[in-house]
Amino acid sequence: MTCRFCGHALTVPFLDLGTAPPSNAYLSADALREPERWYPLRILVCPDCWLVQTTDILGPRDLFDADYGYFSSVSKTWLDHVERFAEHTVKRFNLSARSRVLEIATNDGCLLERFAAREVPCLGVEPTASTAVAARGRGIEVVEEFFGTTLVDRLIDTGGRFDLVVANNVLAHVPDIRDFVDGIHQVLKPDGVVSFEFPWLVNMVQSGQFDTAYHEHYSYLSLTSVDRVLRDVGLRIFDVQELPTHGGSLRIFAERTDGPGRGVTSAVPALAERESQLGVASEAFYAGFQGRAERIKNVLLSALIDARGNGQQVVAYGAAAKGNTLLNFAGVRADLLSYVADRSPGKIGRFMPGSRIPIVEEARLRETRPDLIVILPWNLRDEIAGQLVYARAWSGSFLTAVPDLERF
Ligand SMILES: [Zn+2]
């Protein structure tokens, strides 16, 4: 195995979850009669550029198909986040009716809708048909393709280069990361800005967030590795912020090194120094994560078996991709966890990949009054526990498994 970015041999182990089906491949009732494909889910580290990456198994077209089940707009926490992002960038970078914004991985258009509301012209790129249709329904123009250098000319032909390129929560999902960032460099105006948001590898390691590993997630990013990737194609990071989203993310603003330049904020060298102190560019930082993942899995499994033994009814909330990683690694099936309740219309009536646990409407919780509700998207635990507070009326309690098992 060689590094997807620099070609060096991938010699540093990080995480091996055995095999798993693609995390977003929710199953229809008909599909239950068919076998499922399970692929190795292994993550290794490049000791040269320190890009943490899955071993190459699947192409993006196997993962992000027309029925892709993830819709951004379901979470209120997320909608607040995109509203603040639009507010911040429009002010800071003086975006107006004369500017152009490009968003890569537009999903259902909930971010671009906020730029459109501020009368900033915008264009989306989104490969999955189901979400692109939703974005168009909000009046957003969408190019239905994967982004990369082959798409550059077509995007520029729509009206020139862009003042702001938003590539939030997509960089980690890109197989050819070099081609992707090279394409961004080419569509930016000389004084343009690109924004990246991605779950921060340091939080993943420090909080044992092994369930954020799945095939669609090709890279696990640090400032150290992203800086190296961007510099190689002529982009310079000029600001970085820590965000609470997805269990702790980084937001990076970068610009062309051949442009006028804005000046680098002190946050950039400060965070680089923190990563250096933690040893992100050393093998020791990555050792021990496998053991942590196995402990979390074993503790959860014991809790579910105990609850079952005590005659308690256990269900889950939130049919998130990370839930699939956790349930499949732990080998949990519907005998231990009867169903997963969710609010996303695209998922209700389907089944979790691998575990084949049914996904049902939230109303089922009131009907069946479960003793224990496992919150699978632990990053939204406060929002979800608040939303489901009515379960307290029948003494229902909640459980999260990551970073440590907590029942509350
Ligand atoms: Zn490398």
Side-chain angles (χ1 to χ4, degrees), residues 3-8 10 46-51 53 228:
C3 174
R4 218 176 266 132
F5 177 70
C6 77
H8 195 283
L10 295 176
C46 173
D48 187 50
C49 70
W50 301 102
L51 185 66
Q53 53 201 285
R228 164 80 182 266

Side-chain angles (χ1 to χ4, degrees), residues 144-321:
E144 207 174 303
E145 296 282 353
F146 284 96
F147 180 82
T149 50
T150 55
L151 201 59
V152 165
D153 290 344
R154 210 174 125 190
L155 294 174
I156 294 173
D157 281 348
T158 62
R161 290 190 162 77
F162 296 86
D163 299 271
L164 174 67
V165 174
V166 183
N168 293 350
N169 292 293
V170 59
L171 193 58
H173 293 75
V174 172
D176 189 347
I177 193 168
R178 180 187 292 277
D179 181 75
F180 185 85
V181 294
D182 190 11
I184 290 175
H185 178 263
Q186 293 183 41
V187 298
L188 272 184
K189 286 182 182 171
D191 61 348
V193 174
V194 54
S195 159
F196 297 101
E197 290 179 13
F198 49 83
W200 189 20
L201 174 72
V202 167
N203 281 320
M204 180 187 185
V205 171
Q206 292 185 334
S207 304
Q209 299 167 0
F210 74 92
D211 57 344
T212 60
Y214 38 88
H215 300 105
E216 294 92 326
H217 212 162
Y218 290 87
S219 305
Y220 302 80
L221 301 164
S222 58
L223 184 68
T224 304
S225 60
V226 171
D227 180 58
R228 164 80 182 266
V229 168
L230 296 184
R231 267 191 290 124
D232 251 47
V233 300
L235 291 168
R236 168 177 50 231
I237 297 170
F238 66 86
D239 196 13
V240 59
Q241 300 161 3
E242 281 184 67
L243 304 171
T245 48
H246 296 289
S249 296
L250 292 185
R251 172 188 294 155
I252 278 171
F253 288 118
E255 62 190 351
R256 287 169 55 155
T257 43
D258 57 357
R262 286 174 176 74
V264 177
T265 68
S266 59
V268 179
L271 199 78
E273 176 59 22
R274 261 172 76 194
E275 287 198 354
S276 167
Q277 295 283 332
L278 288 165
V280 169
S282 73
E283 294 191 19
F285 182 72
Y286 304 92
F289 193 62
Q290 177 72 24
R292 179 108 188 249
E294 289 172 9
R295 278 194 300 280
I296 291 170
K297 184 250 299 182
N298 291 341
V299 169
L300 170 68
L301 209 43
S302 300
L304 296 181
I305 291 169
D306 286 351
R308 191 75 195 162
N310 295 332
Q312 296 189 316
Q313 188 197 174
V314 185
V315 304
Y317 187 89

Side-chain angles (χ1 to χ4, degrees), residues 355-385:
S355 67
R356 301 187 162 205
I357 297 172
I359 304 167
V360 303
E361 289 180 298
E362 188 187 324
R364 186 75 70 86
L365 293 172
R366 292 181 192 275
E367 292 160 24
T368 61
R369 300 159 70 96
D371 302 291
L372 186 58
I373 302 171
V374 179
I375 297 176
L376 294 173
W378 42 258
N379 52 311
L380 302 173
R381 61 171 265 172
D382 293 341
E383 179 184 347
I384 292 170

